[in-house]
Amino acid sequence: MSKRILVVAHNHPALHPGGTEVFAHDLFRAYQRAGHEALFLGAVNQVHREARPGTSFQAIGPTGDEILLWAGHFDRFFMSQIDLYGFVPDLVELLREFRPDVVHLHHILLMGAEFPHIVRRTLPACKIVMTLHDYYPICHHDGLMVRTDKRELCHGSSPDRCHACFKDIKPDRFALREQHLKALLSTVDCFAAPSEFLKRRYVDWGIAEDRISVIANGLPPQAFEAGKDKPKSGRPVFGYFGNLNPWKGIKVLLEAARQLIADGVDFELRVHGGAPFQTQEFVAVTDRLFSETAPFVQRRGPYRREDVAALIGGVDCTVVPSIWWENAPLVIQEAQAQGRPVIASNIGGMAELVRNGVNGLTVAPDDPRQLAAAMRQVIEKPTLLRQLSGRAVRPDDIDTTAGRYLALFNLQQVQAA
């Protein structure tokens, strides 16, 4: 039986092509292909759209089943939507008009932690499912779980520990924040996590283990289309794909490249991605490193998602040098779909997707020397590259993933893996 499914994210991939937005939108289309009536709702603020007087909603896309909800009045500390006279009434009107059987929430950023409570109050019989993509409810440091002073990985939150990162915020405020978020998220019927690691973090935080199902992310059909043939130049070609920011480890990668160049190693590194909303200091440092490592390192800039298969197909090996607890980077799955091995940091969900010496190599995060050594292995051992490529793990397609979510919604049986 066809059901109405409202898919909710904290932006739209046409405006901000982050992994969460991209996956949420792919899943939205997969629900439609499975015969369900789905509506995509993305939250935006003044960064991408200006407010329009008289309505919180704006159109996006030509099909009428994707809309934006302007959510510029947002409290980032309490993860709360504070526009009680515009946002909330308009959201309630949308819920009453569309009357979803299921709300699939992908993030509370901009939408607000009150969102599930608003759904429950408006539509008591509606099922509310939330996919956990990062650690925003746990960590005020942009959901990174990285200490603010020394880039040390954080293994758990507490009022005192969080106060040590944000000394201008008293411990009792962090205690209140935690209780506030847990109370509001208790309205969610069940959660999903794309990795065991992420699930464990939330279980440790206080969500009951039996309320969180692990469902791997999936990729759309075009991700499996054959990309370009492997490079024929003779020297290995590495690829980086994603936004350039401090937590994605781009500086670590460029410093590793600089070491290889100093050692006289011949290679090519193609860096695909832009650096939106970054500090002048970060941009200046990366500009300098790009200058010092040219022409071995090529800065190729932003790319369209439609081109990912071809771009990954044009390299021998993908590098994911993130220095935070990445959950389930789509780029790892995209590389594996093209039969390309991955060098990744051995933390978070990355360590679940890349098995050292099997379908890639893993290295300690934030360690340019160890990353350079791993890249050198690939450069100097062609047989290793072939072995790692041959053992690439084919990820799930998005329709299989949608089937697993639909089973979680109690709408159909779980599809075979």
Side-chain angles (χ1 to χ4, degrees):
M1 181 183 296
S2 176
K3 299 291 184 178
R4 291 192 182 98
I5 304 173
L6 178 64
V7 179
V8 183
H10 58 314
N11 213 307
H12 189 285
L15 303 176
H16 186 271
T20 298
E21 297 92 332
V22 166
F23 173 71
H25 194 268
D26 287 345
L27 204 53
F28 151 68
R29 289 301 185 201
Y31 291 150
Q32 291 181 327
R33 287 194 296 273
H36 301 284
E37 184 180 354
L39 178 68
F40 186 93
L41 178 64
V44 293
N45 60 13
Q46 58 274 11
V47 173
H48 294 105
R49 289 286 182 94
E50 292 298 325
R52 291 182 180 175
T55 180
S56 299
F57 296 110
Q58 300 184 26
I60 187 169
T63 54
D65 52 8
E66 304 172 64
I67 54 177
L68 302 176
L69 179 57
W70 201 84
H73 304 290
F74 182 74
D75 182 336
R76 292 185 70 90
F77 181 75
F78 284 107
M79 302 291 290
S80 288
Q81 178 53 239
I82 58 178
D83 183 7
L84 302 180
Y85 299 101
F87 177 95
V88 174
D90 285 350
L91 176 59
V92 169
E93 183 179 355
L94 172 69
L95 291 169
R96 287 174 175 166
E97 181 175 336
F98 184 59
R99 301 197 67 81
D101 301 292
V102 178
V103 168
H104 188 176
L105 176 62
H106 288 268
H107 217 292
I108 60 173
L109 191 65
L110 296 184
M111 283 293 177
E114 299 83 2
F115 184 88
H117 178 72
I118 295 170
V119 175
R120 176 65 68 237
R121 186 183 63 190
T122 307
L123 301 171
C126 180
K127 187 155 192 174
I128 305 170
V129 177
M130 180 176 178
T131 297
L132 303 164
H133 290 280
D134 51 37
Y135 314 99
Y136 264 91
I138 302 174
C139 176
H140 178 51
H141 187 201
D142 294 329
L144 293 167
M145 294 194 73
V146 178
R147 307 305 297 275
T148 57
D149 51 357
K150 300 178 182 178
R151 299 200 308 186
E152 171 194 352
L153 290 168
C154 181
H155 293 265
S157 64
S158 72
D160 288 324
R161 193 167 175 81
C162 295
H163 169 65
C165 279
F166 297 92
K167 299 187 184 303
D168 58 331
I169 303 176
K170 295 180 179 180
D172 61 344
R173 294 270 292 172
F174 282 107
L176 184 61
R177 177 186 189 271
E178 179 178 335
Q179 292 305 312
H180 165 78
L181 291 172
K182 285 180 176 178
L184 290 171
L185 292 180
S186 67
T187 310
V188 175
D189 290 301
C190 57
F191 297 87
S195 71
E196 289 284 353
F197 180 88
L198 186 90
K199 174 180 176 176
R200 183 52 49 191
R201 277 288 182 267
Y202 276 93
V203 170
D204 292 344
W205 187 60
I207 296 179
E209 186 166 5
D210 61 1
R211 295 184 65 207
I212 308 177
S213 300
V214 176
I215 301 178
N217 291 340
L219 298 180
Q222 60 265 30
F224 298 92
E225 296 173 359
K228 296 179 180 177
D229 292 334
K230 292 182 180 180
K232 300 291 195 291
S233 62
R235 63 177 182 173
V237 179
F238 297 91
Y240 172 95
F241 302 87
N243 287 328
L244 311 184
N245 66 49
W247 313 111
K248 292 289 186 180
I250 184 61
K251 290 198 293 185
V252 180
L253 177 57
L254 294 175
E255 288 167 358
R258 186 167 59 180
Q259 290 183 22
L260 292 173
I261 295 168
D263 292 340
V265 179
D266 190 23
F267 70 99
E268 181 181 326
L269 169 62
R270 300 173 183 174
V271 177
H272 296 274
F277 314 118
Q278 299 306 311
T279 65
Q280 291 183 349
E281 179 185 6
F282 173 79
V283 172
V285 170
T286 53
D287 284 348
R288 174 177 57 80
L289 288 170
F290 274 116
S291 177
E292 292 174 356
T293 53
F296 292 86
V297 177
Q298 302 175 12
R299 187 175 192 171
R300 300 207 168 188
Y303 57 93
R304 301 184 311 154
R305 195 184 183 212
E306 295 85 351
D307 299 328
V308 168
L311 295 175
I312 290 179
V315 306
D316 290 293
C317 181
T318 295
V319 186
V320 184
S322 296
I323 64 174
W324 73 289
W325 309 107
E326 287 265 19
N327 171 31
L330 291 178
V331 66
I332 293 180
Q333 293 181 306
E334 289 165 339
Q336 293 283 281
Q338 292 294 319
R340 300 303 190 262
V342 178
I343 300 175
S345 301
N346 61 356
I347 56 173
M350 294 178 288
E352 295 177 30
L353 293 172
V354 181
R355 296 172 56 197
N356 189 49
V358 179
N359 61 333
L361 300 174
T362 59
V363 298
D366 213 0
D367 189 335
R369 191 170 297 279
Q370 193 173 135
L371 179 56
M375 294 172 69
R376 190 161 187 163
Q377 282 190 65
V378 172
I379 294 167
E380 296 179 347
K381 299 178 181 179
T383 56
L384 174 63
L385 181 61
R386 289 194 293 272
Q387 290 169 357
L388 298 176
S389 297
R391 293 194 289 259
V393 179
R394 181 182 173 88
D396 288 335
D397 62 79
I398 192 64
D399 293 313
T400 297
T401 300
R404 295 195 172 105
Y405 273 104
L406 290 167
L408 190 64
F409 305 160
N410 295 321
L411 299 183
Q412 69 175 48
Q413 296 298 313
V414 178
Q415 296 182 6

